[in-house]
């Protein structure tokens, strides 16, 4: 997205803009009456702004409505005069918004433009039509319509503008709530449209879809004002039930497959194109936070990992469980696999996600063979095969979209999973690590000893802490910064997995917790005084061991997770 050009505005500073808004929409007085004096101050300031330049239509309409209300309160006007004044303001209000979209040769319906393009209630247009071509509406209707029009302008113009104003002080809770509500409405509308298009099999062409997605991303950035505010607002909304995770449990991912097939075409046709465009635009904006360049994919995966870590915490009573967490895990695995696949063989997604330019489209247009002559001195010389291949490689490298994650991002993801798995063992985080090591041999070699410790604790169902052995450093690789966690002795105190097991797993865990033998991985001498004869193959005390393959080491992982939780 290209950088925004500076725009000339009539107000002196953002503080003045906010002050005028507070005058237009003042807090009610003690007796509940509107502060007319504050609104008169706003009208005087608007007259000064008009002398400096052209005002946005929303500000002009706000001033006109407020002036009508002030005159209604302070001057003795007849009902007919008030009806004429309110009607004129309302007509100019609707016409000013609609005329901006009358760009075709033939005029379009005002009702269509007001509802579909502007998002205005249809009865605003009907009231404007009545006041223009029919009798004047009653004074009670006009007063009520004026208050509702002011509320509509406040919601659709003033609040988004206030959010985008970059002041040193943090935005108020009201601004944050309004911004979050706007973003949620935009995302719900996008999801509803895609569900309808998929159901009716009326998906638009890729070129038209690209235009719609780009417009949607620009609207999101406009509502939030900056890249960091967009990520802070959008990522939690995407992780709400009903967005990336469907509300219906039947449409969520299953623990047996751990993929997004149950979500159907919503993944490829609704979410991935939008999120890919968000990543590209944020990368083009070069937005930073705390000195680090913002990345949509990194923020999204970190938000998903936070959900898994929250559910894994011993005191995480408020964390979601069951099918919600399984679907979050399936999304993480899906995004990581897409990242590694794009590094090796970039493929063309059905809706243009992670696309590479076609080799044929990169070849410059050559003259037709029928137009070339052997003796023609103006014939374009043909490139050699090697030169053409080099040209194609250079153009594809220049047009290749940015990678989803860089090496540091993957290392941070692995470190977060390791740190929390060593503190409170989690099969969900272990599955994330499994996805990484399947595609990255270097990381697999480095964290192999730590994974063995995690797998031993998963098998034993460790409810008591056990010291973690020091992991040897591979000879062929120097330890990267941040991997010191593998060389520390970590004492854990877990209250059990947050994911519920099946009856078979519960039986194995109870049998393991019943005996007092520590899983140290070595032979120990039993006390001769307390030893009693028992059948061969039994544990001390005559307990029959469960020799079935532990579910953590089965394929696929977490194949027996109880989905009745959430």
């Amino acid at each position: 997205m290209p950088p925004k050009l500076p725009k000339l505005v009539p107000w002196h500073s953002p503080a003045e803009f906010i002050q005028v808004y507070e005058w237009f929409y003042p807090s009610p007085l003690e007796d509940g009456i509107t502060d007319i004096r504050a609104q008169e101050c706003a009208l005087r300031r608007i007259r000064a702004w008009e002398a400096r330049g052209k005002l946005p239509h929303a500000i002009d309409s706000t001033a006109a409505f407020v002036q009508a209300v002030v005159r209604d309160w302070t001057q003795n006007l007849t009902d007919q005069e008030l009806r004429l004044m309110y009607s004129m303001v309302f007509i100019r209000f609707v016409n000013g918004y609609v005329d901006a979209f009358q760009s075709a040769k033939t005029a379009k319906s005002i009702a269509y433009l007001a509802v579909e393009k502007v998002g205005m209630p249809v009865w605003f247009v009907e009231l404007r039509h009545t006041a223009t071509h029919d009798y004047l509406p009653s004074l009670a209707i006009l007063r009520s319509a004026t208050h509702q029009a002011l509320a509509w302008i406040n919601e659709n113009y003033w609040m988004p503008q206030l959010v985008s104003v970059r002041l040193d002080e943090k935005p108020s809770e009201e601004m944050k709530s309004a911004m979050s509500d706007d973003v949620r409405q935009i995302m719900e509308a996008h999801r509803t449209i895609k569900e309808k298009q998929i159901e009716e099999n009326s998906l638009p062409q890729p070129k038209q879809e690209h235009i719609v997605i780009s417009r949607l991303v620009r609207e999101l950035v406009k509502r939030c004002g900056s890249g960091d505010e967009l990520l802070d607002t959008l990522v939690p909304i995407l992780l709400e039930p009903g967005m990336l995770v469907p509300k219906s449990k039947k449409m969520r991912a299953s623990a047996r497959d751990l993929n997004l097939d149950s979500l159907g075409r919503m993944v490829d046709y609704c979410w991935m194109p939008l999120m890919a465009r968000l990543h590209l635009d944020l990368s083009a904006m070069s937005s930073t936070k705390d000195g680090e360049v913002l990345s949509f994919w990194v923020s999204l995966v970190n938000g998903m990992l936070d959900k898994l870590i929250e559910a894994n915490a011993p005191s995480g009573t408020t964390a979601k469980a069951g099918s919600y967490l399984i679907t979050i895990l399936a999304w993480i695995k899906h995004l990581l696999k897409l990242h590694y696949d794009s590094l090796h063989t970039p493929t063309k997604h059905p809706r243009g996600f992670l696309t590479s330019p076609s080799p044929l489209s990169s070849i410059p247009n050559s003259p037709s063979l029928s137009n070339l002559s052997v003796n023609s001195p103006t014939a374009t010389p043909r490139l050699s095969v090697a030169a053409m291949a080099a040209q194609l490689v250079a153009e594809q490298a220049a047009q290749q979209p940015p990678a989803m994650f860089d090496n540091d991002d993957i290392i941070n993801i692995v470190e977060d999973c390791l740190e929390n798995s060593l503190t409170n063992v989690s099969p969900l985080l272990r599955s994330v690590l499994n996805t990484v090591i399947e595609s990255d041999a270097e990381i697999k070699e480095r964290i192999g000893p730590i994974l063995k410790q995690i797998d031993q604790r998963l098998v034993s169902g460790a409810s008591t802490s056990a010291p973690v052995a020091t992991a040897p450093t591979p000879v062929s690789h120097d330890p990267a910064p941040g991997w010191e966690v593998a060389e520390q002795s970590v004492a854990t105190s877990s209250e059990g997995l947050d994911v519920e097991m099946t009856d078979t797993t519960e039986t194995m865990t109870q049998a393991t917790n019943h005996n007092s033998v520590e899983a140290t991985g070595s032979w120990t001498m039993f006390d001769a005084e307390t030893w009693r004869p028992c059948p061969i193959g039994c544990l001390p005390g005559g307990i029959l061991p469960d020799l079935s393959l532990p579910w953590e080491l089965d394929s696929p992982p977490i194949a027996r997770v109880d989905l009745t939780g959430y």
Side-chain angles (χ1 to χ4, degrees):
M1 180 180 293
K4 294 182 178 180
L5 297 176
K7 192 174 183 180
L8 192 63
V9 293
W11 46 90
H12 181 268
S13 63
E16 183 183 9
F17 183 85
I18 295 178
Q19 181 63 68
V20 171
Y21 166 76
E22 293 175 350
W23 283 339
F24 271 137
Y25 296 90
S27 300
L29 300 176
E30 296 180 356
D31 52 1
I33 300 177
T34 304
D35 190 354
I36 300 297
R37 293 184 179 180
Q39 294 182 333
E40 289 178 342
C41 292
L43 293 175
R44 288 194 295 268
R45 186 62 58 87
I46 291 298
R47 285 196 290 270
W49 286 4
E50 290 175 345
R52 300 173 186 171
K54 186 178 180 180
L55 291 176
H57 179 67
I59 297 180
D60 192 16
S61 298
T62 304
F65 279 121
V66 170
Q67 186 175 8
V69 172
V70 170
R71 285 181 174 269
D72 192 359
W73 275 85
T74 58
Q75 297 186 12
N76 294 325
L77 299 177
T78 63
D79 288 354
Q80 184 67 13
E81 291 172 341
L82 290 174
R83 291 168 67 188
L84 287 170
M85 180 177 60
Y86 278 119
S87 298
M88 178 57 67
V89 173
F90 215 91
I91 292 171
R92 287 178 57 83
F93 159 66
V94 176
N95 289 348
Y97 270 102
V98 172
D99 288 345
F101 295 94
Q102 288 286 12
S103 57
K105 294 182 179 179
T106 58
K108 295 182 180 180
S109 169
I110 294 179
Y112 168 78
L113 295 176
V115 175
E116 298 295 331
K117 302 296 183 180
V118 182
M120 191 177 289
V122 66
W123 71 269
F124 280 9
V125 182
E126 295 175 351
L127 185 64
R128 173 255 179 206
H129 182 83
T130 302
T132 304
H133 303 288
D134 207 341
Y135 59 87
L136 291 177
S138 65
L139 189 56
I141 293 178
L142 290 170
R143 285 171 175 167
S144 176
T146 297
H147 288 292
Q148 296 187 48
L150 285 172
W152 185 87
I153 297 174
N154 180 38
E155 179 181 355
N156 291 273
Y157 175 78
W158 288 102
M159 295 308 298
Q161 290 297 321
L162 292 174
V163 169
S164 64
V165 171
R166 306 303 299 165
L167 294 177
D168 294 336
E169 59 186 23
K170 296 182 179 180
S172 63
E173 293 299 327
E174 182 182 0
M175 295 181 184
K176 291 182 179 180
S177 177
M179 179 172 61
S180 180
D181 292 342
D182 290 342
V183 173
R184 185 177 290 102
Q185 291 177 2
I186 293 174
M187 298 305 299
E188 289 177 349
H190 173 69
R191 180 201 61 199
T192 303
I193 292 173
K194 288 303 173 185
E195 289 176 346
K196 183 178 180 181
Q197 291 177 349
I198 291 175
E199 182 180 359
E200 298 177 354
N201 199 18
S202 59
L203 291 165
Q205 295 297 323
K207 184 176 181 180
Q208 182 181 0
E209 178 73 4
H210 174 77
I211 296 174
V212 173
I213 293 296
S214 300
R215 186 184 300 118
L216 178 61
V217 172
R218 287 197 300 269
E219 182 67 20
L220 289 172
V221 175
K222 178 182 177 182
R223 293 297 178 95
C224 296
S226 62
D228 57 338
E229 292 289 349
L230 174 60
L231 291 179
D232 293 342
T233 305
L234 180 59
V235 170
I237 292 176
L238 288 175
L239 298 182
E240 294 177 355
M243 294 295 177
L244 294 181
V245 180
K247 289 185 178 180
S248 174
K249 294 184 179 180
K250 295 181 179 179
M251 296 182 62
R252 295 178 179 178
S254 63
R256 184 171 299 277
D257 300 326
L258 281 181
N259 55 44
L260 301 176
D261 293 345
S262 58
L263 274 69
R265 296 197 291 175
M266 287 292 291
V267 176
D268 294 336
Y269 291 90
C270 177
W271 300 120
M272 291 306 299
L274 173 61
M275 295 191 295
R277 175 52 53 182
L278 281 167
H279 176 66
L280 291 175
D281 288 356
L282 286 176
S283 300
M285 292 169 60
S286 299
S287 301
T288 59
K289 184 177 182 180
D290 298 333
E292 297 182 358
V293 179
L294 295 177
S295 170
F296 174 78
W297 294 123
V298 173
S299 300
L300 180 63
V301 172
N302 287 340
M304 292 178 174
L305 285 176
D306 290 340
K307 295 292 184 181
L308 301 185
I309 293 172
E310 180 185 0
N312 189 42
S315 59
T317 56
T318 60
K320 298 180 177 63
S323 59
Y324 175 86
L325 296 177
I326 295 298
T327 308
I328 290 293
L329 175 61
W331 267 109
I332 297 176
K333 296 172 73 69
H334 178 75
L335 295 178
L336 291 175
K337 290 178 181 178
L338 279 179
H339 165 69
Y340 284 111
D341 291 344
S342 66
L343 294 180
H344 299 94
T345 54
T347 56
K348 187 172 182 180
H349 191 270
R351 307 306 294 177
F353 171 64
L354 287 179
T355 56
S356 299
S358 173
L360 297 178
S361 63
S362 303
I363 301 177
N365 294 330
S366 58
S368 175
L369 293 177
S370 60
N371 297 331
L372 291 178
S373 174
V374 178
N375 299 325
S376 175
T378 60
T380 304
R382 299 185 61 181
L383 298 175
S384 63
V385 176
M388 187 178 298
Q391 182 179 1
L392 290 178
V393 171
E395 292 183 359
Q396 289 185 9
Q399 299 179 12
Q400 185 70 22
M404 297 175 65
F405 308 98
D406 57 26
N407 189 51
D408 292 338
D409 298 331
I410 297 296
I411 290 178
N412 291 333
I413 292 173
V414 172
E415 286 184 347
D416 290 340
C417 293
L418 286 176
E419 181 179 356
N420 288 275
S421 295
L422 291 173
T423 305
N424 297 289
V425 62
S426 169
L428 299 176
L429 298 177
R430 177 62 179 87
S431 182
V432 176
L433 293 172
N434 189 51
T435 304
V436 175
I437 64 176
E438 285 176 355
S439 304
D440 198 319
E442 181 178 357
I443 293 180
K444 180 179 180 180
E445 183 178 357
R446 290 186 177 185
I447 68 174
I450 313 176
L451 295 182
K452 291 181 180 179
Q453 297 292 334
I454 296 175
D455 291 339
Q456 288 179 4
R457 297 179 59 193
L458 282 172
V459 171
S460 62
S463 60
T464 59
S465 60
V468 179
T470 301
T473 304
V475 178
S476 58
H477 297 279
D478 295 329
W483 295 97
E484 291 82 359
V485 65
E487 302 176 359
Q488 298 177 355
S489 177
V490 182
T492 61
S493 177
S494 174
E495 296 181 3
L497 299 178
D498 290 321
V499 182
E500 298 179 0
M501 311 301 174
T502 56
D503 295 337
T504 304
T505 307
E506 291 177 355
T507 303
M508 180 192 71
T509 304
Q510 293 173 1
T512 305
N513 293 336
H514 184 73
N515 69 79
S516 59
V517 179
E518 295 184 356
T520 59
S522 61
W523 291 94
T524 58
M525 269 311 243
F526 202 85
D527 188 5
E529 297 180 358
T530 60
W531 180 83
R532 295 291 181 273
C534 62
I536 297 178
C538 291
L539 297 175
I543 301 176
L544 295 176
D546 186 2
L547 301 180
S548 60
L549 184 64
W551 66 273
E552 293 83 4
L553 302 181
D554 202 354
S555 180
I558 37 183
R560 301 186 180 93
V561 177
D562 187 7
L563 302 181
T564 61
Y566 179 75

